Amino acid sequence: MIAASARDVVMEFAGGDGPVRVLHGASLEVPAGGLTLLVGPSGCGKTTLLSVLSGTLAATAGEVEVMGERLSALDDAARVRLRRRRIGFIFQQYNLLPSLTAAENAAIPLVTAGMKLSEASRRAVPVLQRLGLGAHLDRLPRQLSGGQQQRVAIARALVHEPSLVVCDEPTAALDAKAGHTVMELLRSVAAAPDRAVLIVTHDSRIHGFADRIVEMEDGRVLGERPPPSRNDGYQGAVHD
Amino acid sequence: MIEIALRMLSGDRTKYLGLVSGIAFATLLIAQQASIFVSLMMRTANQVLDVREADLWVMDPRVRYVDEVEPLRDVDLARIRGVEGVEWAVPFYKGTAILRTREGLINQVSLVGVDDATLAGAPRKWVKGDLSALRRPNGIVLDLQGAQFIWPGEDVPLGRSAEINDVRVELTGIADVSPPFITFPIAYMRYSDAVRLLPPQRNVMSYVIVKAAAGTDPAELGARIAARTGLQALTWDAFAWRSVEYVLTRTGIPVNFGITVLLGILVGAAVTAQTFYLFVFENLRQFGALKAIGATNGQILAMVLAQAAVVGALGYGIGIGLCALFFEVTGGAAALEGFRLVPQVVGATGGVIALILVLSCLFSIRRVFVVDPAIVFRG
Ligand SMILES: Nc1ncnc2c1ncn2[C@@H]1O[C@H](COP(=O)(O)OP(=O)(O)O)[C@@H](O)[C@H]1O
Ligand SMILES: [Mg+2]
């Protein structure tokens, strides 16, 4: 099953001297039940494609489908609803709310869906426990390490059981060991048959976790390349 | 979401305190300036408001406010008494005179003459002596502030003598009366005594104050008196307002004060709007993340409004409290005597602060509405 797909997506940003084209007809399919890695040099348009694919940025041209819904056919409100129900987000900068505890941060997608914060936080507890944060439920983000914060962010991306989880450079701000842990967790998340995980990265150390690797360059998707043998993990970087 | 919004506030203590104190400052500034202004305007009307016995004030048609006196002829009194619906009508003198103390100090005073028989318009609250003070020949009653002004630093004893327009008078009472707009000491006398002190002139009767008979509508009676006599007859509140309006429209005071109040509002608005805008702006990334995750613009608006409501209510409460404290502390000073936190000002300030906050919200929320949720992907 294809969780999300982009076909011939063109993205232009307004620039000083007219529009700047960042995506030149990029196409990509993200199948459920696996971890897809979108790789390429910095500035090639990976984040832009991820934003378009997750319905946070409207494409200039082309078709995007998420769980069978064509984004261009949805109005703003419907697109927000789709994000809220179907997509989990993990950012390079974690983007946790500094005054909420780990459990409360992880609970946010349930709260935006209308649940009370206390009830939602309770629901987030098992997710955090699975991610090894059972002892840190009531900590504020600033009391957690970078790796722990990213795991809270993962919990937040999973708490509402989305079909598609998108991650932008999830390991870029982490040291090798924390990055390894985070990738292990994301790979186990992707193992669920009805869930797709799409990770955008220029961190070649994490290629070993992928089920598929898709290469991008200059706003175009070049194609798939075979992942290195799966159990290499965090290549050559981890000694723990 | 509201809960999250409030946690965002309380979790950011510095900005929270900054916002609350900004709004408290704005509230204090606006409420205090506006209260002083309103109290000052009220002083214009105080001499009218203090005469509670009368329903109507009858005066020359040319009179525009209480301190502008065009004397009536004595026959007018009889003509007014002849209008049906008049329970009683008595003369009321209001003018200025020179009071000279035994030490030779000269003071201009505001001289009020009340009807010999009824003493209508006499003070009601007494510091020393009582109403009988006005029945003594050439007895004068001074207002407390005035007595302290004429004989500073003394607990002025009754029986002290002085001269008004070179006629010897005796202090027979000290009363507590609302301070007038022009802060001359006020000297009350019997009408006949007051008139006798004046230099010879054709007419002396400043006003005739009138009580309407039971069941007679004062406004209707006023119209009837005006029609019969050709004089101007105003209900006490109409006259009080007319006096306030005169000061409002004919003097530079409201302009100067209006500018101060306006400045208070502007400074308050600027401080509030800026702090709030800054708060929202600095949380733009948090709002962006919430939007990416699936918060609707409506939810974000509710969050920002909730934050504004909380800091607004707190800041407003503190500001009004400080303002009340200010008037409590300064209440003893003669220049600020009777100045207080006017209830209407409390309400209006709340309205202004709420408006400022709503505008700040709308102004800041635009930033949040247009923020691309994709910003959260950027480093
Ligand atoms: N909102 C924007 N406005 C203008 N240019 C943008 C915007 N977002 C991205 N770009 C440009 O698009 C190009 C691709 O950016 P991005 O998708 O972030 O690349 P990557 O994630 O592969 O590093 C860059 O040159 C970047 O400067
Ligand atoms: Mg990027």
Side-chain angles (χ1 to χ4, degrees):
Chain A
M1 194 181 99
I2 301 300
S5 67
R7 200 151 16 89
D8 302 325
V9 167
V10 173
M11 187 70 217
E12 285 176 352
F13 291 110
D17 336 305
V20 181
R21 189 167 283 211
V22 172
L23 296 180
H24 305 264
S27 298
L28 174 69
E29 288 191 339
V30 186
L35 195 158
T36 302
L37 222 52
L38 184 62
V39 303
S42 222
C44 73
K46 303 184 298 293
T47 296
T48 307
L49 183 55
L50 181 80
S51 306
V52 169
L53 206 65
S54 58
T56 50
L57 202 60
T60 312
E63 269 311 326
V64 178
E65 277 187 26
V66 175
M67 300 310 291
E69 295 210 64
R70 271 177 48 212
L71 294 191
S72 59
L74 303 179
D75 60 14
D76 278 353
R79 210 159 37 234
V80 172
R81 253 191 326 270
L82 178 83
R83 288 208 300 270
R84 183 158 78 202
R85 295 209 190 115
R86 300 295 211 158
I87 306 180
F89 288 88
I90 297 168
F91 315 102
Q92 176 178 339
Q93 297 298 324
Y94 326 135
N95 285 309
L96 301 176
L97 301 195
S99 43
L100 298 191
T101 65
E104 290 165 339
N105 262 295
I108 288 174
L110 300 177
V111 180
T112 58
M115 199 180 285
K116 282 192 54 146
L117 183 59
S118 52
E119 164 70 13
S121 314
R122 232 180 352 265
R123 294 263 207 110
V125 170
V127 186
L128 285 162
Q129 282 167 340
R130 239 181 298 139
L131 295 169
L133 291 171
H136 305 301
L137 299 174
D138 293 325
R139 298 268 175 96
L140 295 174
R142 68 181 135 79
Q143 299 167 320
L144 299 172
S145 71
Q148 289 167 333
Q149 289 187 57
Q150 191 60 300
R151 278 186 276 157
V152 174
I154 294 172
R156 181 179 63 186
L158 297 179
V159 74
H160 54 310
E161 314 218 313
S163 316
L164 173 66
V165 177
V166 297
C167 324
D168 192 23
E169 311 276 5
T171 56
L174 301 179
D175 62 30
K177 184 174 171 215
H180 184 88
T181 312
V182 161
M183 286 313 298
E184 286 275 318
L185 289 167
L186 286 174
R187 187 161 71 183
S188 67
V189 168
D194 52 353
R195 179 169 299 148
V197 176
L198 173 65
I199 297 178
V200 151
T201 188
H202 67 276
D203 182 356
S204 57
R205 298 175 303 179
I206 69 174
H207 289 185
F209 292 92
D211 295 308
R212 294 168 67 227
I213 295 182
V214 179
E215 272 187 300
M216 250 190 109
E217 209 176 282
D218 276 343
R220 286 186 183 80
V221 176
L222 301 180
E224 236 179 281
R225 89 153 108 100
S229 77
R230 278 214 42 167
N231 291 321
D232 287 2
Y234 220 70
Q235 290 175 339
V238 182
H239 315 278
D240 57 339
Chain B
M1 293 307 277
I2 304 290
E3 238 180 313
I4 293 181
L6 302 186
R7 294 287 293 280
M8 277 169 79
L9 258 185
S10 56
D12 195 346
R13 210 140 289 179
T14 354
K15 266 183 236 135
Y16 187 34
L17 289 181
L19 264 170
V20 170
S21 49
I23 295 167
F25 170 71
T27 304
L28 174 63
L29 201 61
I30 296 169
Q32 190 239 24
Q33 290 298 320
S35 280
I36 289 180
F37 179 64
V38 171
S39 300
L40 201 61
M41 289 300 105
M42 291 298 288
R43 283 186 168 190
T44 318
N46 269 348
Q47 284 159 292
V48 180
L49 299 178
D50 267 4
V51 181
R52 306 260 175 84
E53 302 94 325
D55 294 321
L56 290 166
W57 289 64
V58 185
M59 65 206 85
D60 187 279
R62 286 167 294 177
V63 172
R64 288 170 299 179
Y65 75 109
V66 66
D67 284 322
E68 182 183 59
V69 174
E70 291 285 346
L72 302 170
R73 292 171 303 157
D74 287 341
V75 296
D76 287 329
L77 181 58
R79 293 171 65 208
I80 294 164
R81 284 176 173 160
V83 177
E84 77 263 24
V86 172
E87 166 98 22
W88 51 251
V90 298
F92 187 85
Y93 175 80
K94 189 174 151 21
T96 53
I98 300 297
L99 181 144
R100 188 198 301 266
T101 64
R102 267 189 316 196
E103 296 76 34
L105 291 172
I106 289 178
N107 291 280
Q108 180 155 33
V109 297
S110 172
L111 184 60
V112 175
V114 298
D115 178 50
D116 293 37
T118 60
L119 298 182
R124 319 172 141 257
K125 280 191 258 166
W126 294 88
V127 180
K128 285 184 179 176
D130 54 34
L131 205 55
S132 68
L134 284 167
R135 301 207 184 276
R136 307 256 288 278
N138 281 352
I140 63 163
V141 172
L142 287 171
D143 69 307
L144 179 60
Q145 309 289 339
Q148 287 169 346
F149 182 76
I150 296 170
W151 292 285
E154 274 188 67
D155 179 28
V156 189
L158 296 184
R160 178 76 54 104
S161 64
E163 286 176 5
I164 292 184
N165 294 0
D166 300 324
V167 177
R168 193 178 161 280
V169 293
E170 187 188 326
L171 182 67
T172 52
I174 293 177
D176 187 1
V177 303
S178 311
F181 183 60
I182 300 165
T183 47
F184 293 144
I186 310 174
Y188 289 86
M189 295 187 85
R190 276 191 304 188
Y191 185 79
S192 59
D193 283 347
V195 166
R196 214 159 354 102
L197 301 180
L198 302 177
Q201 47 194 302
R202 217 142 45 98
N203 301 317
V204 291
M205 192 168 62
S206 320
Y207 296 99
V208 173
I209 54 177
V210 174
K211 175 85 180 166
T216 306
D217 176 51
E220 272 171 27
L221 179 60
R224 204 150 56 226
I225 292 173
R228 288 286 171 79
T229 61
L231 299 174
Q232 179 170 224
L234 300 171
T235 59
W236 62 269
D237 48 339
F239 189 36
W241 271 116
R242 158 107 32 134
S243 299
V244 171
E245 270 168 29
Y246 177 83
V247 177
L248 279 176
T249 54
R250 293 306 178 92
T251 71
I253 296 159
V255 177
N256 292 329
F257 239 102
I259 289 173
T260 316
V261 173
L262 199 69
L263 225 55
I265 293 178
L266 285 182
V267 171
V271 169
T272 305
Q274 166 155 338
T275 352
F276 196 73
Y277 180 75
L278 218 62
F279 176 74
V280 172
F281 183 78
E282 284 173 14
N283 285 324
L284 218 50
R285 205 182 166 82
Q286 295 187 38
F287 285 124
L290 288 172
K291 277 180 78 170
I293 288 171
T296 62
N297 276 344
Q299 285 175 320
I300 303 276
L301 178 64
M303 290 178 78
V304 173
L305 285 177
Q307 290 169 340
V310 166
V311 293
L314 265 175
Y316 172 74
I318 293 171
I320 289 292
L322 287 177
C323 189
L325 194 67
F326 169 84
F327 285 115
E328 194 63 42
V329 169
T330 59
L336 291 174
E337 157 83 9
F339 281 23
R340 67 207 169 86
L341 191 54
V342 185
Q344 286 89 333
V345 168
V346 174
T349 306
V352 169
I353 293 290
L355 185 70
I356 291 172
L357 272 170
V358 166
L359 291 180
S360 312
C361 278
L362 294 182
F363 185 59
S364 332
I365 201 77
R366 276 176 28 119
R367 289 297 303 253
V368 184
F369 278 4
V370 301
V371 71
D372 200 337
I375 67 155
V376 289
F377 287 119
R378 318 244 160 250

